[in-house]
């Protein structure tokens, strides 16, 4: 029974760690900083727990104490599910991403990880009856713990996160740990049984709350790649009802008017209409990043000759677009579920327009899509007179402009013609806002379009920022460092529809 306890504790640890990334994502993103903090804090907690557990085991080598430690780990795991939202909301706007992430991971995950770290050395001490075989005993127990961690890793990554909500996973794990505490020590059955019942009741009430929220139009879902929030809101100013999708901190990634699902609801998506200026009469468009499929739906309705390929990595996002954002099959629409850069390597027939909208959130930018090598693949997939339109979030000047300036320099290394547009206000260089980057091989047209909306967008063009900015490369792409050079509270502007 003790060996089963060790196995379950090892599995629980990795389930908590992988689920932790989904818990942090809506508030802090999924960048390298998040994973570094999560892994580092849990390893530090395990080290502390191993030292503490070994010391306690020497002083009081009793199964009853080990059972209590595992039961405390169960309650610490449940506490993550009970406290995560208010802890993250309280910390989100208190400092830079590094400090906030470290504080959040310590508060939420360190207690459970430290308690689980106490289990293996304590178990070794309980089993150490024959000193001549101490190495074999210790090695065997640590092997069982490691095998449990391996099983927990695959179980969480391949099954639980994709099929069970992150909070539900925590309560299920807490119940399993309460069962493991009974395996470590059969005593104290009433307390352990009551703990299991409470955790399962919490799981039941969580499910009922999810059903009630779904009836109100709010969905909190986990896909294979993202934690996604879908809810109904009301647009400020007009009062129109919108359905919105959030996959990261600080804003919306997609939005749709309920009274007109085709109309473009977010300001930055309207700027994609600049393709009418850069490439009038375009017939083939590639959209990298589907999200709520806002612009593909608009293009199908307004450009009758346009054939559109959409590349969306997350099939769960596409399914949500079908069920909540009025995406329907169309003979001129082809959807591919694949990484955008992998798709670019296989393009055979070039496109007139490429829309790059893969930046899931400001703190969740896939670095391999911002490098000079990625820009080179986009150029190869484009007709000579085509245009690439890239949506990003930054300020034109100031501390939060370095990512924008570096990305512009990266595309300028492959495309001789570069223009950028501030979506909200070009006269506010310090304002953190969506910026649309237009890149092509040929000089843009000089004619004045008839459409007043397009003419108004062209007045938002930003000047060349100047300066020597080294481009991002596959070898060195410090996206996370550049994005964290200003505070989390810098803005709550809308983000891309990726």
């Amino acid at each position: 029974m003790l060996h089963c306890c060790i196995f379950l504790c090892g599995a629980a640890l990795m389930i908590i760690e992988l689920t932790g990334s989904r818990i942090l994502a809506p508030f802090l993103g999924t960048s390298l900083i998040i994973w570094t903090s999560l892994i580092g804090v849990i390893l530090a907690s395990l080290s502390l727990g191993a030292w503490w557990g070994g010391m306690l085991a020497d002083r009081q080598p009793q199964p009853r104490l080990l059972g209590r430690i595992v039961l405390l780990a169960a309650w610490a795991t449940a506490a993550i599910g009970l406290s995560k939202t208010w802890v993250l909301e309280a910390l989100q706007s208190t400092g830079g991403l590094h400090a906030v992430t470290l504080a959040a991971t310590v508060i939420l995950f360190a207690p459970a990880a430290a308690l689980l770290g106490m289990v293996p050395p304590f178990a070794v001490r309980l089993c150490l009856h024959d000193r001549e075989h101490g190495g074999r005993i210790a090695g065997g127990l640590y092997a069982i713990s490691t095998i449990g961690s391996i099983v927990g890793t695959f179980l969480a990554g391949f099954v639980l996160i994709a099929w069970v909500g992150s909070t539900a996973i925590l309560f299920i794990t807490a119940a399993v740990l309460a069962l493991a505490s009974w395996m470590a020590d059969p005593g104290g059955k009433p307390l352990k049984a009551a703990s299991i019942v409470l955790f399962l009741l919490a799981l039941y009430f969580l499910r009922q709350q999810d059903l009630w929220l779904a009836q109100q139009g709010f969905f909190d879902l986990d896909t294979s790649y993202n934690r996604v929030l879908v809810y109904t809101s009301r647009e400020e100013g007009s009062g129109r009802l919108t359905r919105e999708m959030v996959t990261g901190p600080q804003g919306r990634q997609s939005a749709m008017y309920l009274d007109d699902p085709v109309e473009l609801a977010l300001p930055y998506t309207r700027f994609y209409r600049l393709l009418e200026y850069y490439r009038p009469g375009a017939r083939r468009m590639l959209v990298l990043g589907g999200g709520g499929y806002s612009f593909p739906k608009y293009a199908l309705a307004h450009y009758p000759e346009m054939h559109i390929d959409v590349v969306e990595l997350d099939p769960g996002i596409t399914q949500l677009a079908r069920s909540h954002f009025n995406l329907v099959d169309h003979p001129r629409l082809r959807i591919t579920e694949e990484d955008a850069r992998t798709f670019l390597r296989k393009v055979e027939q070039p496109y007139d327009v490429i829309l790059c909208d893969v930046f899931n959130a400001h703190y969740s930018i896939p670095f391999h899509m911002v490098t000079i090598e990625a820009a080179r693949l986009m150029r190869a997939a484009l007709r000579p007179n085509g245009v690439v339109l890239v949506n990003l979030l930054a300020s034109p000047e100031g501390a939060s402009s370095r990512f924008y300036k570096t990305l512009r320099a990266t595309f300028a290394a492959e495309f001789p013609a570069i223009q950028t547009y501030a979506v909200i206000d070009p006269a506010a260089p310090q304002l953190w806002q969506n910026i649309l980057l237009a890149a092509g091989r040929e000089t843009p047209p000089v004619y004045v379009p008839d459409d007043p909306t397009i003419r108004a967008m062209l007045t938002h063009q930003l000047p060349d920022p100047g300066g020597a900015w080294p481009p991002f490369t596959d070898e060195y792409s410090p996206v996370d460092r550049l994005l964290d050079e200003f505070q989390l509270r810098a803005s709550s502007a809308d983000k891309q529809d990726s």
Side-chain angles (χ1 to χ4, degrees):
M1 297 294 283
L2 180 59
H3 293 76
C4 291
C5 171
I6 294 171
F7 177 88
L8 292 176
C9 288
L13 176 68
M14 293 309 301
I15 291 172
I16 292 169
E17 182 171 355
L18 289 175
T19 306
S21 66
R22 293 304 180 92
I23 290 170
L24 298 174
F27 301 89
L28 303 172
T30 57
S31 67
L32 181 63
I33 296 171
I34 303 300
W35 277 108
T36 300
S37 299
L38 193 58
I39 294 171
V41 167
I42 287 181
L43 286 175
S45 302
L46 284 174
S47 299
L48 176 63
W51 169 79
W52 190 14
M55 184 177 62
L56 286 179
D58 285 340
R59 293 180 179 177
Q60 195 176 354
Q62 298 175 0
R64 183 176 61 179
L65 180 55
L66 177 60
R68 290 177 178 176
I69 291 171
V70 177
L71 187 61
L72 282 174
W75 278 100
T77 302
I80 301 172
L82 294 171
S83 64
K84 59 185 177 61
T85 299
W86 65 264
V87 168
L88 290 169
E89 286 180 346
L91 292 174
Q92 186 179 22
S93 300
T94 59
L97 185 61
H98 291 84
V100 169
T101 304
L102 282 172
T105 51
V106 168
I107 293 171
L108 291 174
F109 304 106
L115 288 164
L116 291 172
M118 298 174 68
V119 174
F122 207 112
V124 169
R125 180 65 180 84
L126 291 178
C127 295
L128 194 59
H129 304 300
D130 183 0
R131 294 182 179 274
E132 292 184 0
H133 299 93
R136 181 190 306 173
I137 293 171
L141 291 174
Y142 274 97
I144 291 172
S145 176
T146 302
I147 292 171
S149 295
I150 295 170
V151 172
T153 298
F154 287 106
L155 183 63
F158 289 173
V159 180
L160 290 177
I161 290 177
W163 293 95
V164 183
S166 53
T167 307
I169 291 173
L170 293 172
F171 288 126
I172 293 171
T173 304
V176 170
L177 286 173
L179 177 63
S181 72
W182 174 80
M183 293 177 175
D185 172 36
K189 290 180 181 179
L191 178 59
K192 294 167 184 176
S195 297
I196 294 175
V197 170
L198 287 174
F199 298 148
L200 294 179
L201 281 174
L203 182 63
Y204 171 78
F205 285 116
L206 174 68
R207 177 58 180 163
Q208 295 304 308
Q209 181 187 42
D210 288 342
L211 292 174
W212 180 82
L213 289 173
Q215 293 175 354
Q216 311 304 312
F218 183 93
F219 302 87
D220 185 347
L221 306 165
D222 283 285
T223 70
S224 300
Y225 294 89
N226 295 283
R227 182 180 173 194
V228 187
L229 306 180
V230 176
Y231 55 87
T232 301
S233 184
R234 193 175 294 276
E235 185 179 56
E236 185 177 355
S238 71
R240 297 174 67 181
L241 288 176
T242 62
R243 180 165 294 139
E244 303 178 358
M245 178 188 293
V246 173
T247 58
Q250 298 181 321
R252 304 165 292 173
Q253 279 68 51
S254 294
M256 177 190 75
Y257 290 120
L258 294 185
D259 59 3
D260 188 351
V262 173
E263 184 180 352
L264 299 173
L266 296 182
Y268 89 89
T269 59
R270 299 166 194 157
F271 268 70
Y272 282 143
R273 289 192 56 205
L274 284 175
L275 68 86
E276 301 172 27
Y277 168 73
Y278 283 98
R279 192 63 177 88
R283 289 178 175 269
R284 280 178 51 80
M285 179 170 69
L286 173 63
V287 180
L288 304 177
Y293 286 73
S294 297
F295 198 78
K297 291 187 300 181
Y298 177 89
L300 289 171
H302 292 84
Y303 309 137
E305 302 298 323
M306 182 85 79
H307 289 261
I308 304 167
D309 288 343
V310 179
V311 181
E312 169 56 58
L313 176 64
D314 190 344
I317 292 289
T318 299
Q319 182 57 41
L320 286 172
R322 294 184 186 278
S323 59
H324 297 288
F325 290 85
N326 284 51
L327 173 67
V328 296
D329 293 329
H330 194 284
R332 292 187 284 114
L333 174 66
R334 183 179 69 171
I335 298 172
T336 302
E337 294 171 351
E338 191 174 19
D339 180 80
R341 184 153 164 181
T342 302
F343 181 89
L344 287 170
R345 292 182 180 277
K346 301 182 294 185
V347 171
E348 296 180 356
Q349 186 178 355
Y351 295 91
D352 300 303
V353 181
I354 297 177
L355 303 186
C356 183
D357 202 3
V358 297
F359 302 160
N360 188 45
H362 184 59
Y363 291 107
S364 305
I365 291 180
F367 84 92
H368 67 295
M369 288 302 299
V370 302
T371 64
I372 194 171
E373 291 84 356
R376 188 172 299 138
L377 289 173
M378 293 183 204
R379 185 188 66 179
L382 199 66
R383 294 186 187 276
N385 62 343
V387 64
V388 177
L389 300 177
V390 183
N391 174 53
L392 65 136
L393 190 63
S395 63
E397 299 292 341
S400 56
S401 68
R402 293 190 63 187
F403 172 70
Y404 152 64
K405 293 175 179 177
T406 305
L407 186 64
R408 177 176 174 136
T410 301
F411 274 82
E414 293 294 325
F415 294 92
I418 298 287
Q419 294 81 37
T420 51
Y421 300 87
V423 169
I424 303 300
D425 187 359
Q430 304 293 327
L431 179 65
W432 199 51
Q433 58 185 304
N434 287 90
I435 296 175
L436 191 72
L437 183 149
R441 302 188 205 178
E442 298 182 355
T443 303
V446 294
Y447 71 90
V448 178
D450 295 331
D451 192 317
T453 302
I454 302 297
R455 289 202 303 269
M457 292 178 184
L458 292 174
T459 65
H460 283 230
Q461 183 172 346
L462 295 169
D464 188 336
W469 299 90
F472 293 122
T473 67
D474 284 351
E475 179 67 24
Y476 183 62
S477 182
V479 175
D480 297 295
R481 177 173 60 83
L482 296 184
L483 294 178
D484 192 43
E485 290 185 345
F486 60 100
Q487 304 296 319
L488 277 171
R489 58 177 178 270
S491 173
S492 58
D494 292 337
K495 257 79 82 236
Q496 63 288 335
D497 192 19
S498 65

